[in-house]
Amino acid sequence: MAAWRCGSCPELHSLHLGLGSMRYQVSPGVLVSVPLRDSSGEAVKEPERAQEHYLPSFAGGQHFFEYLLVVSLKKKHSGEDYEPTITYQFPKRENLLRGQQEEEERLLGAIPLFCFPDGNEWAPLTEYPRVYCIVSCIGCFGLFSKILDEVEKRHQISLAVIYPFMQGLREAAFPAPGKTVTLKSFIPDSGTEFISLTRPLDSHLEHVDFSSLLRCLGYEKIVQIFASAVLERRIIFLAEGLSTLSQCIHAAAALLYPFSWAHTYIPVVGDEKDILPPKLQDDLLDSLGREIKESQTPEQINEHVSGPFVQFFVKTVGHYASYIKREANGQGHFQERAFYKALTSKANRRFVKKFVKTQLFSLFIQEAEKSKQPPAGYFQQKILEYEEQKKQRKSKEKTVK
């Protein structure tokens, strides 16, 4: 994930940048990303260990970020055109192997254009605009926005003041969900400051704005995108503006909660209308089609759009925890066959039988197998509510009989 903000502009833009098997290219208004392929054109099957580079982590302990970059828009030596250039990088890695160096060059080569996709269209400038960019494997946007505030404050004094702050941040362990890490930092003329950085307990709707997705696409297309995404189909998003592109991509990815998208978006035209179980697809469209009132807050609109998709996963895979059998040491083993056969609906069972083969689900289950108890988040809350509703319905049915 790369997050950036231009100068003191409060709007935070972001883009998921691939680590491991995926390469992302950024161009004005277009996000295109493809898996690595060999000379025959076939997708390269990645070894299991390589996946460690981009597995989402729900625990703490890893680095806050991979890179902090300052990108400035400067005039080319010849002509009146401008080009984005990385003017500050932390950390600067040395003694990299050849493959690692090539990987770093590809990643850093995409960042300037991401920060200034329309840089060649800017009118003559009296000063060089700059963008602060953080590249991280973790998407905690509120937390990174606070870090960017601190970086910008220090840059106004001197580039040299950024280094000790980022070094301290790099050495600190990333906090677990709901936990806080406090950094000690010295600023000339201000003295020592203590900066508290809290990781949200549940951030699945953080930095998500469904308004752009609703404005650009109808409910049926949103459901088609969801259907393609749950089976890890490839999707392309096209937009004239970077903000719209970024907002729509993050909104689409947020529909997959509690799962995390680890791939790319490339378009597929085919059986999207037949992927989801008909009854659950109708439920999605009915819930999304309910009128949004003008008086509703952005948080209520987010819940209006996100809620039905979370409920879809509650109904199809919300029983996953009951099918993780644990050894004496706490290590869990997922009982896949028993899990999908537990579904009474044939349509739901057919869908889940395919869904469990996706990396989307595999990564989720890997984390669940490691955890001795389900995470106390929004998804788990909705699972418990749904199970309670089922118990109440059964109790009423027995009373009627």
Side-chain angles (χ1 to χ4, degrees):
M1 188 278 296
W4 65 263
R5 187 171 57 214
C6 185
S8 58
C9 173
E11 185 174 6
L12 192 69
H13 299 270
S14 53
L15 171 68
H16 286 276
L17 295 170
L19 300 176
S21 69
M22 301 298 166
R23 302 291 184 269
Y24 283 60
Q25 297 176 332
V26 187
S27 58
V30 183
L31 173 64
V32 180
S33 41
V34 296
L36 287 176
R37 297 184 179 273
D38 60 21
S39 57
S40 67
E42 294 296 318
V44 175
K45 182 174 178 58
E46 186 177 16
E48 287 296 319
R49 285 188 61 79
Q51 294 182 7
E52 295 174 4
H53 293 293
Y54 59 87
L55 289 180
S57 173
F58 300 102
Q62 60 193 36
H63 289 310
F64 269 82
F65 64 97
E66 298 303 315
Y67 297 96
L68 167 72
L69 304 162
V70 179
V71 182
S72 299
L73 191 62
K74 294 189 173 183
K75 188 179 292 186
K76 292 182 178 179
H77 292 299
S78 58
E80 296 296 319
D81 292 336
Y82 294 87
E83 63 179 353
T85 305
I86 294 176
T87 54
Y88 180 83
Q89 173 187 333
F90 178 88
K92 288 193 174 181
R93 306 178 192 274
E94 298 178 350
N95 303 319
L96 294 176
L97 298 176
R98 182 177 177 182
Q100 294 173 323
Q101 187 173 355
E102 291 175 352
E103 174 75 13
E104 182 183 67
E105 288 173 356
R106 278 193 291 265
L107 174 65
L108 298 183
I111 293 294
L113 190 57
F114 165 58
C115 294
F116 289 101
D118 57 350
N120 60 341
E121 299 175 6
W122 284 49
L125 303 169
T126 55
E127 59 181 36
Y128 297 139
R130 58 177 173 252
V131 162
Y132 302 95
C133 178
I134 289 178
V135 179
S136 174
C137 297
I138 307 155
C140 290
F141 298 100
L143 187 150
F144 284 124
S145 182
K146 187 172 182 179
I147 292 173
L148 289 174
D149 286 339
E150 297 296 330
V151 169
E152 184 179 10
K153 180 167 70 175
R154 285 158 176 76
H155 194 185
Q156 290 173 355
I157 301 170
S158 167
L159 270 175
V161 184
I162 296 177
Y163 179 86
F165 170 70
M166 297 307 293
Q167 184 63 34
L169 191 65
R170 180 107 179 132
E171 293 172 355
F174 195 77
K179 302 298 183 181
T180 299
V181 64
T182 302
L183 300 177
K184 185 177 179 181
S185 178
F186 177 79
I187 298 181
D189 300 327
S190 297
T192 301
E193 291 186 353
F194 291 91
I195 302 163
S196 296
L197 299 170
T198 302
R199 182 177 178 182
L201 184 63
D202 191 313
S203 59
H204 77 283
L205 290 181
E206 188 181 38
H207 192 64
V208 174
D209 179 5
F210 285 109
S211 301
S212 292
L213 199 64
L214 291 171
R215 186 173 64 251
C216 298
L217 303 169
Y219 291 124
E220 289 192 10
K221 284 191 173 65
I222 292 175
V223 172
Q224 286 180 21
I225 289 172
F226 173 75
S228 293
V230 293
L231 291 189
E232 296 179 324
R233 299 290 179 84
R234 294 184 285 183
I235 304 165
I236 284 181
F237 285 84
L238 302 175
E240 293 183 0
L242 178 62
S243 293
T244 300
L245 179 67
S246 178
Q247 289 165 5
C248 286
I249 287 173
H250 281 286
L255 300 179
L256 296 173
Y257 173 84
F259 304 94
S260 298
W261 183 253
H263 292 297
T264 58
Y265 294 83
I266 303 176
V268 171
V269 179
D271 60 346
E272 283 82 2
K273 291 185 178 181
D274 301 319
I275 292 175
L276 305 181
K279 172 67 169 60
L280 296 185
Q281 180 162 309
D282 288 343
D283 289 346
L284 277 173
L285 290 170
D286 287 344
S287 298
L288 292 169
R290 291 172 190 158
E291 184 180 359
I292 297 178
K293 299 177 182 178
E294 291 184 4
S295 59
Q296 286 184 293
T297 64
E299 290 75 17
Q300 290 173 323
I301 293 174
N302 281 353
E303 176 63 27
H304 176 92
V305 179
S306 172
F309 291 98
V310 173
Q311 199 64 24
F312 172 88
F313 286 124
V314 167
K315 292 177 180 177
T316 52
V317 299
H319 59 298
Y320 74 93
S322 300
Y323 292 88
I324 297 178
K325 306 302 178 186
R326 300 199 177 274
E327 298 176 359
N329 63 2
Q331 176 61 43
H333 298 281
F334 180 58
Q335 310 295 307
E336 181 182 302
R337 182 177 173 81
F339 169 71
Y340 64 73
K341 286 182 75 69
L343 293 165
T344 55
S345 165
K346 288 184 179 180
N348 290 6
R349 194 159 58 243
R350 278 195 299 270
F351 165 77
V352 171
K353 196 172 180 180
K354 294 179 182 177
F355 182 52
V356 294
K357 302 298 182 184
T358 63
Q359 190 176 23
L360 197 72
F361 186 80
S362 297
L363 298 179
F364 176 83
I365 283 298
Q366 285 174 23
E367 290 294 332
E369 287 175 328
K370 295 176 192 174
S371 303
K372 294 185 179 180
Q373 58 185 15
Y378 180 79
F379 184 54
Q380 185 62 24
Q381 174 191 331
K382 291 300 177 183
I383 290 174
L384 295 176
E385 290 176 4
Y386 180 67
E387 290 176 348
E388 183 61 31
Q389 289 168 3
K390 284 202 301 184
K391 287 180 184 177
Q392 291 177 1
R393 281 199 299 269
K394 286 183 180 179
S395 178
K396 286 180 181 179
E397 288 172 1
K398 287 181 181 179
T399 304
V400 171
K401 289 180 181 179

